[in-house]
Amino acid sequence: MSTSRICAVDVGNDAVKAVFGKLDYELYIPNVIARDTADRPVIGIEDLNEKNPLSGIHIRVHSPALMDNNVIYRVGDLATKSDNASELDPGSSKSEEDQTLVMLFATLALDAVREENASIFKRNNNVVDANYTLGTGLPLREVKEGKDVGYRSQLLGSVHQVEFLVTPKYQGLKVNIRFDQVKVYPEGFAAYINLVMDNDLNVINRDLIDKNILIQDIGGLSTDIAVIKSRNVDDDKAQGFNLGVAEALEAIREEIRSKHGVELDSRRDVVDIITRKNDRNHIMVRGSRTSVHDITDRILVDLAKKQYRHLRNVWQKNSQTEICYFVGGGSMVLKEYIKTLNNNLDGYNIEFFEDEKESIWMMANAYYKLISDFVRKTEKANHKSAKEPVKQSSNK
């Protein structure tokens, strides 16, 4: 039997962020897929294995959990170059979309086939058998609706196969993925854990531990506002909204196309234009540097107002709140707009993470802390029960 490898995976609307093992590997893959054929054309096919596998993820996915089974996909960077690229739609449920599962399986398969894991997973000819203990999460709204139960059961008890087709270095390999354990956490609760605890779940932020705080996690498709009181998430007061940044990014992309004739590959390109350090809110139009500030400002100010309204409504119902932390990729996009609104209006005590990577990777890191703690406690309990003496029954 293969060793079960710990993995923590945040299937975000913008990208998948994953952490493996003992923090020995991490993956970041844009959350974009595109249906494809088995023989995608490659220029310089003889040089295929010299390229980065992440730039050419081309797979067939077989799983009883999928609605469309045995389908071939381009994934990540390769998919963004397709005319039929698919990103998660606003209003969709992460737990019920094939795309969520395809991204999850692809991410795990890319870890499983690495040479560094040859001693962990059995390999028979071109087939790798990989066992994982998974920590992941869903938006608060979906967890409150009980969708985490169905999502977890889809993953457990089945074999999910990823076959690498025209993928650099891994062409012809198949990975059979099994889950020994799956933990699905509410995203708001995970953010709190990451704020106050280190990888061993020791408290690192004592100033926050007994405060009444809000955590507003702005994602691509949804926003969660977790209400933390006395070190616990108040499930009744916590709120989930079908409001993320995806729709705004799509509107910006469409307006840039109609106004400037520039076709951006994906929402990821829009995020880059908005958040990059140099030439922010500028694109190249027929070789000339052109500002799109008017487009991005108008659309993002409107979204920031909606997000701020949610903050104000939840804060009013939890009047003893001391601070609200904004987390998630969407917060990085809206940070300056929300700060400006807050300065001009009520002036709540709000905080953003200046470290962009810390904010974007917060969920994956939180899932890692939680699943690692679960494994530690399970191993400790098993070790204890193994040491307990077996009582002999005496026959008189």
Side-chain angles (χ1 to χ4, degrees):
M1 181 177 170
S2 294
T3 303
S4 191
R5 182 160 160 83
I6 287 178
C7 60
V9 185
D10 172 22
V11 185
N13 175 69
D14 180 55
V16 174
K17 285 80 66 177
V19 184
F20 295 92
K22 295 185 177 178
L23 296 174
D24 53 73
Y25 188 57
E26 64 181 38
L27 273 173
Y28 180 97
I29 305 170
N31 189 354
V32 186
I33 64 174
R35 287 199 176 210
D36 202 13
T37 57
D39 299 314
R40 73 176 180 91
V42 178
I43 299 171
I45 186 71
E46 64 278 2
D47 300 323
L48 181 68
N49 286 343
E50 304 302 316
K51 297 176 180 175
N52 184 345
L54 296 185
S55 66
I57 305 169
H58 185 237
I59 57 175
R60 186 197 309 272
V61 187
H62 178 83
S63 166
L66 295 169
M67 286 181 285
D68 292 327
N69 202 355
N70 222 28
V71 174
I72 294 168
Y73 294 101
R74 296 181 179 211
V75 175
D77 289 328
L78 186 65
T80 63
K81 301 174 177 64
S82 299
D83 293 334
N84 62 330
S86 169
E87 297 175 88
L88 290 173
D89 293 322
S92 63
S93 291
K94 189 186 288 189
S95 59
E96 297 174 342
E97 293 288 332
D98 271 3
Q99 182 157 342
T100 304
L101 296 173
V102 169
M103 293 302 302
L104 173 64
F105 299 149
T107 302
L108 298 185
L110 284 161
D111 172 68
V113 294
R114 294 168 61 236
E115 288 181 12
E116 292 86 342
N117 291 331
S119 61
I120 302 175
F121 299 133
K122 288 192 301 183
R123 184 177 295 201
N124 187 10
N125 295 324
N126 287 331
V127 180
V128 178
D129 288 316
N131 286 56
Y132 284 98
T133 296
L134 171 67
T136 189
L138 289 174
L140 185 65
R141 174 182 55 85
E142 294 186 47
V143 174
K144 289 180 87 168
E145 291 171 1
K147 291 179 179 177
D148 56 318
V149 178
Y151 184 64
R152 182 174 180 272
S153 65
Q154 280 184 316
L155 298 176
L156 287 167
S158 298
V159 179
H160 317 278
Q161 187 181 81
V162 174
E163 178 185 359
F164 289 99
L165 302 175
V166 192
T167 302
K169 297 182 182 175
Y170 305 140
Q171 187 171 11
L173 293 178
K174 294 180 181 178
V175 181
N176 291 328
I177 298 167
R178 293 176 177 83
F179 294 100
D180 293 312
Q181 186 57 266
V182 175
K183 290 290 186 180
V184 182
Y185 303 103
E187 290 175 351
F189 169 68
Y192 173 65
I193 290 295
N194 203 63
L195 277 172
V196 299
M197 295 178 177
D198 65 12
N199 285 330
D200 297 318
L201 291 197
N202 297 315
V203 175
I204 54 173
N205 198 335
R206 294 209 168 272
D207 290 343
L208 275 185
I209 199 77
D210 289 319
K211 281 187 176 180
N212 292 339
I213 65 175
L214 303 180
I215 299 172
Q216 187 154 339
D217 175 21
I218 305 176
L221 302 178
S222 62
T223 295
D224 286 345
I225 305 183
V227 179
I228 316 292
K229 295 179 179 177
S230 303
R231 308 188 185 195
N232 293 306
V233 178
D234 189 327
D235 292 330
D236 295 326
K237 295 289 185 69
Q239 297 278 315
F241 306 98
N242 277 329
L243 178 70
V245 295
E247 211 162 344
L249 296 176
E250 205 59 60
I252 291 169
R253 184 178 166 198
E254 175 58 28
E255 196 160 333
I256 287 174
R257 187 193 65 78
S258 61
K259 185 174 180 179
H260 297 290
V262 173
E263 191 76 57
L264 300 172
D265 287 338
S266 68
R267 296 172 198 154
R268 175 73 252 171
D269 291 340
V270 181
V271 172
D272 180 56
I273 290 165
I274 295 165
T275 60
R276 63 190 173 206
K277 299 288 185 290
N278 300 317
D279 274 350
R280 184 175 294 181
N281 291 309
H282 282 79
I283 60 172
M284 298 303 292
V285 179
R286 293 183 292 278
S288 297
R289 181 174 170 275
T290 304
S291 173
V292 291
H293 228 298
D294 56 329
I295 298 172
T296 58
D297 277 0
R298 187 182 72 256
I299 293 171
L300 293 179
V301 163
D302 184 54
L303 178 58
K305 287 178 180 176
K306 292 175 182 175
Q307 290 287 353
Y308 196 79
R309 201 172 300 130
H310 284 318
L311 168 68
R312 186 168 56 212
N313 290 341
V314 174
W315 200 307
Q316 283 175 349
K317 293 172 185 174
N318 300 276
S319 60
Q320 297 308 296
T321 296
E322 296 171 68
I323 189 170
C324 176
Y325 281 90
F326 281 86
V327 303
S331 291
M332 299 309 297
V333 171
L334 294 173
K335 179 170 70 172
E336 298 308 323
Y337 300 98
I338 291 175
K339 279 184 175 179
T340 301
L341 275 173
N342 192 53
N343 290 338
N344 294 337
L345 295 170
D346 306 272
Y348 290 109
N349 185 16
I350 64 174
E351 190 74 53
F352 288 82
F353 289 89
E354 299 306 321
D355 183 336
E356 184 174 338
K357 182 176 180 182
E358 183 181 1
S359 185
I360 290 171
W361 281 83
M362 178 170 282
M363 290 303 163
N365 290 334
Y367 302 150
Y368 181 81
K369 293 174 184 181
L370 289 162
I371 195 65
S372 297
D373 185 61
F374 168 77
V375 169
R376 268 195 301 271
K377 287 176 178 174
T378 303
E379 289 177 348
K380 188 176 179 180
N382 290 342
H383 183 67
K384 184 180 178 182
S385 62
K387 288 177 70 175
E388 288 177 353
V390 178
K391 291 182 179 178
Q392 299 288 332
S393 60
S394 57
N395 295 318
K396 293 186 178 178

